[in-house]
Amino acid sequence: MMNEQLISHGYTPTKVLSCTCLGSRVILAQNPSGQAFALKSSAKKVSDEQYQETQRYLENEAKILSSLDHEHVVKLIETFHVNGSIVLVLEYMCGGTLGLFIRNSKKLHTDVAKKLANQLTDAITYLHTMNIAHCDIKSDNVLLDEQRNVKLADFGFAEDVRMASLKAIVWKGSPSFSSPEKLRGEVTNLLTGDVWSLGVVVFHMVTGYLPFGNETLHSILDTIDKPLRWPRPMKVIDSTCRDFVELILRTKESNRPTIQQLGQHSWLLE
């Protein structure tokens, strides 16, 4: 029935691209002219509570994306409802996720990582200029097009910082990419959390592993309080790249640079 209703809106499903633990799924579909799109909606087999929560995230994502227009942010084409459930029609990125690219490559060459970091920094700078905090930046939420250009995606947790109540914000996202203040429930600035996540993504790109692991919340927080574990010898990673990451991954959020300041860092400009 779902497929028939999607077809009635002009989209013929071809395959499932992904399903998330949040209860959403993304399918690949084509319009009558053969152009490919990614359709995001609630998964079929979830509890009523999970369904309602997923709907809230999807509605929020649609609201946020409808106000954005940037070359490195995934574009929302349109939305419609099927049986009361929202469907987001998004531009399709055939290059997969940055996380998959890293896993397949083991790690990325510094020049490739620098290009992607520049584009991701541009996207975050734009969001912060628009008073939007993404709140879930991680390697698997960064999509790549066929030329491996960045498209930041998955805005379900995003917040308009002008309206967000820090007291009401419950931790969401991936612990491995989340800032220490977010993990401890001590957030005072959502934007600095995005900056922290950028640092984790860049570290992931150039080393092939996550700086604080991906185990329990306790072990991640314990590792965050220790010096960064860079590959040996240190010269394997460019010194200006290391400086870029270490400038970001400061445990005290007030000591971190803004995304605008990071855009002027020598590693991105050289």
Side-chain angles (χ1 to χ4, degrees):
M1 179 64 71
M2 179 69 160
N3 285 356
E4 293 176 0
Q5 292 171 320
L6 292 179
I7 291 171
S8 72
H9 282 87
Y11 299 98
T12 302
T14 57
K15 67 176 180 178
V16 175
L17 294 173
S18 65
C19 291
T20 74
C21 59
L22 296 175
S24 65
R25 69 168 187 168
V26 181
I27 64 175
L28 180 64
Q30 292 183 335
N31 66 6
S33 64
Q35 185 176 2
F37 296 91
L39 273 56
K40 190 173 186 178
S41 63
S42 293
K44 293 179 179 178
K45 297 180 180 179
V46 294
S47 66
D48 289 343
E49 183 179 354
Q50 179 69 77
Y51 172 82
Q52 294 300 329
E53 186 176 29
T54 301
Q55 285 297 296
R56 287 195 295 272
Y57 291 142
L58 291 173
E59 295 279 1
N60 183 63
E61 182 167 13
K63 179 181 177 181
I64 296 288
L65 283 178
S66 66
S67 69
L68 303 178
D69 183 15
H70 190 272
E71 62 179 327
H72 297 306
V73 174
V74 70
K75 285 183 171 51
L76 176 68
I77 308 303
E78 66 169 324
T79 63
F80 55 86
H81 287 77
V82 172
N83 295 331
S85 300
I86 190 170
V87 178
L88 280 62
V89 180
L90 305 161
E91 61 177 332
Y92 170 59
M93 295 293 106
C94 63
T97 70
L98 174 59
L100 181 61
F101 183 33
I102 296 169
R103 291 189 288 273
N104 288 342
S105 305
K106 308 303 180 186
K107 63 179 180 179
L108 306 187
H109 188 277
T110 301
D111 288 344
V112 176
K114 184 188 302 184
K115 169 198 166 184
L116 299 177
N118 259 302
Q119 294 179 352
L120 188 52
T121 300
D122 283 349
I124 300 169
T125 300
Y126 169 73
L127 294 181
H128 290 188
T129 300
M130 298 291 287
N131 296 301
I132 300 297
H134 186 281
C135 299
D136 194 24
I137 295 171
K138 58 184 179 181
S139 304
D140 283 332
N141 282 347
V142 178
L143 304 180
L144 303 175
D145 67 14
E146 59 186 349
Q147 282 83 40
R148 290 198 175 127
N149 292 306
V150 160
K151 294 279 187 174
L152 184 56
D154 290 283
F155 282 76
F157 295 161
E159 297 274 1
D160 184 326
V161 297
R162 295 167 298 183
M163 298 185 291
S165 170
L166 295 178
K167 291 182 180 179
I169 291 175
V170 177
W171 174 79
K172 303 183 290 285
S174 170
S176 301
F177 292 85
S178 295
S179 63
E181 68 274 5
K182 192 174 180 182
L183 296 175
R184 294 184 175 115
E186 301 169 351
V187 174
T188 61
N189 186 335
L190 288 171
L191 302 182
T192 58
D194 281 355
V195 170
W196 174 278
S197 299
L198 170 65
V200 177
V201 170
V202 173
F203 187 98
H204 190 201
M205 286 195 288
V206 298
T207 67
Y209 58 86
L210 296 170
F212 312 112
N214 60 354
E215 301 299 325
T216 66
L217 182 62
H218 176 78
S219 67
I220 290 170
L221 282 169
D222 184 58
T223 307
I224 281 174
D225 290 329
K226 298 175 182 177
L228 273 180
R229 183 174 59 89
W230 289 101
R232 301 292 178 179
M234 293 280 279
K235 64 182 180 181
V236 170
I237 308 296
D238 184 275
S239 61
T240 56
C241 176
R242 294 201 310 270
D243 180 75
F244 179 83
V245 171
E246 290 174 357
L247 193 64
I248 295 174
L249 297 182
R250 293 174 171 175
T251 54
K252 189 173 182 180
E253 59 180 331
S254 61
N255 289 340
R256 282 173 225 145
T258 65
I259 195 66
Q260 290 84 358
Q261 291 168 332
L262 282 173
Q264 300 304 310
H265 192 277
S266 59
W267 182 60
L268 296 182
L269 299 175
E270 68 185 11

